[in-house]
Amino acid sequence: REVYTGMQEMSEVDENLIVVGFSQVGSESDWRNAHTQSVKEALTEENGFYLIFEDAQQKQENQIKAVRSFILQEVDYIVLAPIVETGWEAVLQEAKDAGIPVILDDRLADVDEELYTCWVGTNAEKEGEDAGLWLADYLEKEGRDEEEINIVTVQGTAGATAQIGRTDGFQKILKQHDNWKMLDRMDGDFTQAKGQEVMETLLAKYDDIDVVVCENDNMAFGAVDAIRAAGRTCGPDGDIIIISFDAVSAAFDAMIAGEINAVFECNPLHGPKLQEIITSLEAGKTVDKIQYMEEAYFDTTMDLESIRKERAY
Ligand code: GZL
């Protein structure tokens, strides 16, 4: 059996291996790199897989090209981590017509459920709601539950279900507090550089920001740098509260250093679950349509050093 690896060279692949084409968003964040690592560590030859990995550098058209190449190569399964929720109908219909099962992973695509076998992901809306609930609790403990609270959001890639869910979830709680005001939301594309740039813009525009909601850790790291550069302070002892999402290892460093107040986990270790799903499908079993990863949150009131020792990313 012959497949292209990376579209250049053909390579002989052992008939018994399950060939999986994986279209990954890119390498925009620590979370994404942990996600890629987890999938590569699970879908190995010794586990019975031949993985064709395509990094789309955060461009949807590259993901569509990758899926089309997987179809041409007649892979056994396609795993797609869709960068945004729209624009997938046609190419997923082509995969279906070619009889290749598609597993959506991490973010979701807004397509007919018939076009994918299952989705492994996290509940972004719940993450956003949990962040809002945490903020309400924190402000009450600080005696600030009646005070006018000005909030800005550094959003993830526009149209990514992680961005949509976190924004909508937080908004749901914000609406319950008429003393909270969302001054602005700007797209930081889940990267540290863009997060810093967006925070610089927001600090120039508003001089009364109390809370920054960053929709992933890397943008939060950028925001902290921008806040410091503007001569302001953040974190539990600062004048700007920072909330973030993902809970990668560097976010624990930032909380321990007192730069970020709280982080809402989004577990990237999908590899083992994907391995289990594909193995089940290969054995002719059916699998649950939606498979949520478990999640938690962490803040500076917790024993973060010992928690981090237990964590794998
Ligand atoms: C979340 C995932 C997001 C992470 C970011 O499910 O899609 O993409 O929160 C990553 O760090 O870039």
Side-chain angles (χ1 to χ4, degrees):
R1 164 180 204 165
E2 299 203 316
V3 290
Y4 288 97
T5 44
M7 302 295 281
Q8 281 80 35
E9 72 283 359
M10 295 288 282
S11 74
E12 274 301 310
V13 173
D14 180 328
E15 267 307 316
N16 304 317
L17 294 177
I18 304 169
V19 180
V20 178
F22 174 29
S23 170
Q24 176 60 296
V25 169
S27 52
E28 73 282 0
S29 62
D30 292 18
W31 188 96
R32 185 64 54 194
N33 296 336
H35 179 240
T36 291
Q37 180 86 13
S38 173
V39 175
K40 284 184 174 176
E41 280 170 4
L43 304 188
T44 57
E45 295 205 14
E46 53 265 38
N47 286 344
F49 297 88
Y50 187 89
L51 179 65
I52 307 172
F53 175 79
E54 295 287 351
D55 175 331
Q57 280 95 38
Q58 281 200 269
K59 289 186 177 58
Q60 181 173 28
E61 65 267 17
N62 289 346
Q63 290 201 285
I64 292 172
K65 266 189 225 142
V67 172
R68 290 208 161 108
S69 85
F70 298 151
I71 294 169
L72 278 176
Q73 297 170 69
E74 298 176 356
V75 299
D76 298 312
Y77 296 86
I78 290 170
V79 175
L80 170 66
I83 182 168
V84 294
E85 65 174 353
T86 53
W88 303 102
E89 283 294 331
V91 75
L92 294 188
Q93 186 59 52
E94 289 165 32
K96 186 174 175 65
D97 296 346
I100 301 174
V102 171
I103 295 165
L104 294 179
D105 187 61
D106 181 30
R107 301 175 194 172
L108 194 48
D110 182 12
V111 294
D112 186 308
E113 280 196 358
E114 289 308 303
L115 293 182
Y116 60 95
T117 304
C118 70
W119 169 61
V120 179
T122 50
N123 190 336
E125 178 140 358
K126 183 180 179 304
E127 291 159 15
E129 277 178 47
D130 288 350
L133 294 169
W134 178 90
L135 180 61
D137 182 53
Y138 182 79
L139 291 170
E140 195 184 344
K141 287 193 180 110
E142 297 273 304
R144 302 174 65 185
D145 42 333
E146 300 296 319
E147 187 186 311
E148 168 93 3
I149 298 293
N150 292 318
I151 305 168
V152 293
T153 303
V154 182
Q155 290 184 295
T157 307
T161 48
Q163 174 272 306
I164 295 167
R166 288 168 188 168
T167 297
D168 292 356
F170 187 85
Q171 176 64 18
K172 218 165 128 185
I173 307 302
L174 181 134
K175 284 210 303 264
Q176 296 166 6
H177 298 269
D178 38 24
N179 57 317
W180 292 10
K181 194 160 160 245
M182 185 60 76
L183 298 175
D184 214 332
R185 296 188 175 108
M186 287 181 72
D187 181 349
D189 212 17
F190 285 129
T191 68
Q192 184 157 339
K194 198 87 178 0
Q196 177 164 350
E197 212 180 286
V198 159
M199 195 65 229
E200 284 159 3
T201 304
L202 291 167
L203 285 165
K205 218 168 149 191
Y206 305 98
D207 56 9
D208 52 358
I209 296 171
D210 299 303
V211 181
V212 182
V213 178
C214 298
E215 292 184 346
N216 87 330
D217 292 335
N218 290 84
M219 295 192 294
F221 306 151
V224 168
D225 291 345
I227 288 167
R228 292 253 166 92
R232 305 286 302 278
T233 57
C234 55
D237 305 327
D239 60 3
I240 298 178
I241 296 164
I242 301 210
I243 292 171
S244 179
F245 296 84
D246 284 348
V248 295
S249 174
F252 277 77
D253 298 335
M255 284 191 284
I256 291 163
E259 294 164 353
I260 293 178
N261 295 71
V263 180
F264 294 81
E265 184 185 37
C266 174
N267 189 330
L269 306 182
H270 296 197
K273 209 177 266 271
L274 290 169
Q275 179 185 349
E276 179 199 322
I277 288 166
I278 295 172
T279 306
S280 302
L281 292 171
E282 199 62 8
K285 293 183 195 137
T286 54
V287 297
D288 293 341
K289 192 81 180 175
I290 294 184
Q291 315 228 4
Y292 276 126
M293 302 294 291
E294 69 295 331
E295 310 186 290
Y297 79 89
F298 308 98
D299 69 24
T300 49
T301 64
M302 300 175 182
D303 177 0
L304 296 168
E305 291 283 8
S306 52
I307 294 172
R308 182 172 49 190
K309 286 197 187 78
E310 305 300 310
R311 291 169 57 75
Y313 69 94

